[in-house]
Amino acid sequence: MDRRRFALTMGMSAAMSSMPLKVFGQMENLAQLTPGRTKAENALWTENPLSVQFVSSRRIVVADIKGPGEITMMHFAYAQSQVGNNGKPLSRDLLLRIYWDDESDPSVDCPFVDFFCNPDDTSKIVNTAFVNVDRGFNAYFPMFFRKLARVELVYDGPVSPGPDLERMMPCYSYVCHRTLEHFPKDTGYFHASWRQQSLLLGLEDYVALEATGKGKFVGWNITVRPLESNDCPVDENEKFYIDGETNPSVEFQGLEDSFGFSWGFPKSDNFFPLTGYFKFLNGSAAYRFFTEDAISFEQSLRVVIGFGVKEDWFRKKFSAPGTNTQFSSTVYWYQTEPHAKLPSMPPVNEREPTPGRGPAL
């Protein structure tokens, strides 16, 4: 092997070996002795008090933690009804809500499964740097708080509390957290919000986020699917309007490109640490996490999906009758408090994907 080829090979190896240090946490600091104590809050399992089991209530506080501190990991085991070849998936009738400090409105309000990049629980496996799913649901977003952290699961479906509901819901959970001496300077509170809308994309943009305050956008997962045909748009742009600007500072020209693909989404499922895709009913689901390229804002951030200024052909095509498209999205960001109130969660029957009339893709 000549010197140039050897140097190139070593450089590529070094770059690849350094990726987990950024993607999967600060492993280079793993040996550093840090202050504070790690604790875990358990819930849902039969060993825990009845007050934190679905046999007694539709609303379960799985963690109620005094600060200052940091939630480092959340785990939720599969429901009994999910296990087995014919296991029944969860649905959007279960919500994940998280409250920080003294706030009365949640900073995280999502259907449980969509929070874990698994819209409507349609994929058996999800494997990303921040959430994963395989016989359990795990989240690794760092979540700091000053006074209090309250993590809730809220079921608002038709089944009453009792053994039947217990079999349908996650059967065990733990929330790991670390005590801190003080809330770290220049640190934002974690937020996540879910939306869903059916629209004629040629006439209006899909709005995924409208945030006010100082913060940064760190990722999202979305679904897109045609409701009346087999024609699903992927040429729309993803626009990030920062601090009230009329022309977006960040605009990705192509839906699939913004999630790491090109010329449409791939034929097979892909689960990379920061980007990924899988089939969703007769459409597509995709996720993208922004680590080195998080989008910061000082006053506000508006995130929308729509066609670009020169895409008149697409705008005309997808404004015609019979071209309704349904989007859903979960957006993840950090910001100072107080935050703008999150959109009201739709009734449970309006959260499910609208049945499409087009053939499966």
Side-chain angles (χ1 to χ4, degrees):
M1 181 182 294
D2 61 39
R3 292 183 179 181
R4 288 182 58 188
R5 186 178 176 187
F6 176 78
L8 178 61
T9 302
M10 292 302 293
M12 292 176 63
S13 299
M16 293 177 66
S17 65
S18 67
M19 286 179 64
L21 301 183
K22 292 184 177 182
V23 174
F24 300 108
Q26 298 300 319
M27 294 179 66
E28 71 270 27
N29 296 328
L30 194 60
Q32 182 179 353
L33 303 182
T34 54
R37 176 171 294 181
T38 297
K39 300 180 180 180
E41 302 286 317
N42 295 318
L44 306 179
W45 187 237
T46 54
E47 294 181 62
N48 306 129
L50 285 175
S51 60
V52 292
Q53 298 181 42
F54 278 105
V55 293
S56 62
S57 177
R58 297 168 179 263
R59 171 183 169 271
I60 303 296
V61 178
V62 298
D64 195 353
I65 311 164
K66 292 183 178 180
E70 175 196 5
I71 292 176
T72 56
M73 186 211 179
M74 299 190 300
H75 164 77
F76 299 88
Y78 263 24
Q80 295 179 50
S81 61
Q82 286 181 282
V83 180
N85 294 331
N86 298 315
K88 185 181 186 305
L90 296 176
S91 72
R92 287 172 171 164
D93 56 12
L94 179 64
L95 302 176
L96 173 66
R97 286 180 171 151
I98 303 178
Y99 299 79
W100 306 124
D101 298 346
D102 301 320
E103 64 185 6
S104 56
D105 295 312
S107 289
V108 173
D109 191 11
C110 300
F112 176 86
V113 288
D114 288 72
F115 179 86
F116 291 92
C117 286
N118 194 12
D120 206 37
D121 205 14
T122 53
S123 180
K124 290 186 178 297
I125 295 177
V126 174
N127 191 12
T128 87
F130 292 95
V131 295
N132 57 48
V133 179
D134 187 0
R135 299 180 69 87
F137 300 82
N138 303 300
Y140 303 95
F141 294 102
M143 305 180 189
F144 292 86
F145 53 96
R146 280 188 175 88
K147 300 177 183 178
L148 179 72
R150 189 169 81 249
V151 182
E152 296 183 357
L153 294 184
V154 180
Y155 169 77
D156 56 5
V159 181
S160 299
D164 289 341
L165 181 60
E166 184 183 37
R167 283 191 289 271
M168 294 168 51
M169 295 291 98
C171 69
Y172 170 57
S173 71
Y174 62 80
V175 177
C176 283
H177 58 98
R178 188 169 188 82
T179 61
L180 301 173
E181 294 183 0
H182 56 81
F183 188 85
K185 185 180 179 182
D186 298 327
T187 297
Y189 286 84
F190 179 78
H191 292 71
S193 177
W194 180 84
R195 300 186 185 205
Q196 180 168 264
Q197 183 184 0
S198 302
L199 72 166
L200 292 173
L201 195 62
L203 299 181
E204 61 178 313
D205 289 350
Y206 171 74
V207 178
L209 175 65
E210 291 182 299
T212 59
K214 180 179 180 180
K216 66 178 185 179
F217 174 100
V218 297
W220 59 345
N221 69 73
I222 67 104
T223 70
V224 55
R225 46 190 294 268
L227 295 183
E228 300 166 290
S229 70
N230 195 32
D231 201 353
C232 190
V234 292
D235 291 283
E236 59 269 46
N237 295 359
E238 297 69 58
K239 312 169 191 179
F240 295 77
Y241 296 90
I242 301 171
D243 296 339
E245 62 191 6
T246 56
N247 294 315
S249 292
V250 178
E251 182 170 3
F252 298 109
Q253 297 176 331
L255 183 66
E256 78 280 29
D257 290 87
S258 72
F259 290 92
F261 304 98
S262 64
W263 299 104
F265 285 111
K267 300 297 183 182
S268 58
D269 296 353
N270 286 267
F271 293 101
F272 302 123
L274 300 180
T275 64
Y277 155 85
F278 57 91
K279 294 179 178 63
F280 179 71
L281 302 179
N282 63 323
S284 302
Y287 62 85
R288 160 95 148 90
F289 295 108
F290 296 64
T291 53
E292 302 303 304
D293 49 4
I295 298 173
S296 298
F297 54 96
E298 294 292 326
Q299 301 171 358
S300 65
L301 179 65
R302 188 168 187 263
V303 182
V304 306
I305 298 175
F307 294 113
V309 294
K310 295 184 178 181
E311 294 187 308
D312 292 337
W313 186 87
F314 290 109
R315 190 175 290 106
K316 181 178 180 180
K317 177 180 179 180
F318 287 99
S319 61
T323 61
N324 270 286
T325 302
Q326 186 169 72
F327 289 89
S328 70
S329 61
T330 301
V331 177
Y332 313 98
W333 77 101
Y334 290 88
Q335 72 160 91
T336 56
E337 293 286 4
H339 66 270
K341 187 175 181 179
L342 304 183
S344 299
M345 185 60 62
V348 63
N349 63 312
E350 296 179 15
R351 294 178 217 153
E352 289 303 303
T354 301
R357 295 197 291 272
L361 295 179

